[in-house]
């Protein structure tokens, strides 16, 4: 069963997350389908892609599929994790990707939205950074995705509280490009897409890559990187990490003991 829909009108591609039963959780199957669609659009000469959920959803995406998170002894967000592959695919896709947001956005899906080039949201949308709710030690490139889109104080507030922020506040903070009433979401998103599609694709593609390269350019020594990885290993091997996942799967509140 397919978990996404794919459509192309002229040079505008659309990928629709379509697994409402699981609130569009970013399972490896759903992510493989999105990545395949992005590749198909490159081959088909699309000039812009809109990443959306089905009209009227309450949840755009509930984030990483918690059932696919390792219980311990393995980095939950390592290089080959599906979520990591999807964020890189969005950044490396030569044409702009517009996140068209209706409903709430959680965890890894919030990073996916921030990795998109432009974010258009409806007024009732919310955005939440959730690792602290599950005990997950988010990874460096994932936090960098957030830092490139969100002021550091706001990233810290969202990451440490794990509480959603409203679309209007996200717009005031520059996290979201446009916030519109739900009935204007499509017109606004596809209006931006049409403006982009009529411009020079080679110029846009190279500026997208230049901007991403500049945004991701950071000095971090191998020694510092290895120290961070060691710290993260302690966290994803902790009892709290296992408790966070078990509590989610058992639909109960977690009890974190700091060990
Ligand atoms: O009980 P059934 O079998 O019907 O399944 C339920 C949920 O278990 C399932 N589901 C998920 N399954 C796997 N991974 C998920 N992230 C996930 N979210 C939901 O979908 C079915 C319907 O969910 P339900 O009944 O809760 O729907 P609802 O409409 O009452 O509530 C919608 C949400 C989104 C408010 C609620 O599902 C929720 O809070 N989901 C988890 C949001 C979240 O904390 N996501 C973070 C995932 S971890 C992640 O992204 C990163 C690793 S991190 O945390 O580090 O950023």
């Amino acid at each position: 069963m397919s978990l996404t829909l794919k459509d192309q009108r002229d040079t505008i591609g659309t990928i629709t997350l379509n697994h409402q039963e699981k609130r569009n959780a970013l399972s490896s199957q759903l992510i493989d389908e999105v990545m395949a669609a992005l590749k198909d659009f490159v081959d088909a000469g699309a000039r812009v892609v809109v990443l959306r959920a089905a009209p009227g959803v309450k949840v755009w995406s509930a984030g990483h599929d918690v059932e696919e998170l390792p219980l311990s002894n393995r980095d939950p967000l390592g290089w080959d994790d599906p979520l990591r592959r999807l964020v890189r695919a969005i950044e490396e896709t030569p044409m702009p990707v517009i996140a068209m947001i209706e409903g709430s956005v959680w965890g890894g899906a919030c990073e996916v939205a921030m990795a998109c080039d432009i974010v258009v949201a409806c007024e009732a949308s919310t955005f939440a950074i959730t690792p602290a709710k599950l005990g997950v030690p988010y990874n460096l490139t994932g936090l960098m995705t957030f830092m490139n889109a969100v002021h550091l104080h706001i990233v810290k507030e969202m990451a440490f509280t794990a509480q959603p922020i409203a679309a209007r506040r996200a717009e005031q903070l520059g996290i979201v490009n446009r916030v519109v009433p739900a009935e204007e979401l499509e017109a606004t998103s596809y209006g931006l897409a049409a403006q982009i599609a009529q411009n020079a694709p080679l110029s846009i593609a190279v500026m997208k890559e230049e901007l991403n390269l500049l945004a991701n350019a950071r000095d971090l020594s191998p020694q510092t990187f290895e120290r961070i990885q060691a710290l993260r290993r302690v966290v994803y091997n902790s009892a709290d990490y296992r408790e966070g996942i078990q509590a989610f799967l058992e639909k109960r509140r977690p009890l974190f003991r700091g060990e």
Side-chain angles (χ1 to χ4, degrees):
M1 171 189 103
S2 180
L3 305 181
T4 61
L5 302 171
K6 183 165 75 81
D7 180 53
Q8 184 169 343
R9 305 276 165 92
D10 302 325
T11 57
I12 299 175
T14 297
I15 301 170
T16 303
L17 307 178
N18 196 36
H19 191 200
Q20 265 315 299
E21 301 73 34
K22 218 167 173 182
R23 303 301 181 266
N24 292 331
L26 299 177
S27 61
S28 47
Q29 180 190 340
L30 183 142
I31 286 173
D32 286 347
E33 289 182 21
V34 173
M35 289 177 66
L38 287 171
K39 190 181 174 318
D40 291 347
F41 286 140
V42 173
D43 297 342
R47 293 187 175 178
V48 56
V49 175
V50 175
L51 179 62
R52 62 170 300 171
V57 292
K58 292 279 179 284
V59 181
W60 190 77
S61 172
H64 202 300
D65 185 331
V66 176
E67 293 173 358
E68 295 186 0
L69 286 173
L71 260 182
S72 73
N73 297 320
R74 184 164 66 79
D75 187 339
L77 293 169
W79 178 260
D80 290 324
D81 176 76
L83 173 65
R84 303 300 349 132
R85 290 191 289 113
L86 175 58
V87 168
R88 290 198 298 271
I90 291 169
E91 290 181 344
E92 292 162 8
T93 291
M95 59 276 196
V97 180
I98 297 172
M100 177 177 150
I101 307 290
E102 188 171 8
S104 53
V105 186
W106 302 83
C110 190
E111 186 195 347
V112 167
M114 296 300 109
C116 290
D117 302 287
I118 294 172
V119 183
V120 182
C122 64
E123 287 161 334
S125 297
T126 60
F127 299 83
I129 300 177
T130 55
K133 222 169 64 171
L134 283 155
V136 171
Y138 220 72
N139 66 307
L140 279 168
T141 56
L143 291 176
M144 193 160 59
T145 306
F146 286 121
M147 284 177 66
N148 284 334
V150 184
H151 186 284
L152 184 59
H153 280 167
I154 306 303
V155 175
K156 288 178 177 178
E157 176 193 333
M158 291 178 72
F160 301 161
T161 66
Q163 290 305 301
I165 67 167
R168 279 284 176 219
R169 180 172 181 221
E171 182 188 39
Q172 288 159 3
L173 294 165
I175 300 171
V176 171
N177 297 73
R178 300 273 201 299
V179 173
V180 296
E183 60 273 18
E184 295 173 20
L185 183 63
E186 287 215 15
T188 305
S189 303
Y190 285 92
L192 281 169
Q195 287 170 356
I196 292 169
Q198 69 186 5
N199 289 332
L202 296 178
S203 164
I204 290 170
V206 78
M207 286 194 289
K208 173 173 174 176
E209 182 158 2
E210 287 172 288
L211 289 166
N212 284 344
L213 286 170
L214 288 167
N216 293 334
R218 292 288 197 292
D219 279 337
L220 206 59
S221 72
Q223 187 179 10
T224 302
F225 175 77
E226 288 183 359
R227 185 176 68 81
I228 292 284
Q229 288 300 87
L231 293 175
R232 295 186 58 245
R233 196 171 303 119
V234 169
V235 178
Y236 64 71
N237 282 334
S238 68
D240 275 359
Y241 172 77
R242 283 191 298 279
E243 164 63 6
I245 292 177
Q246 288 292 28
F248 178 86
L249 298 176
E250 294 163 12
K251 298 187 188 294
R252 61 176 172 81
R253 286 179 69 81
L255 180 62
F256 295 124
R257 302 179 188 281
E259 56 194 30

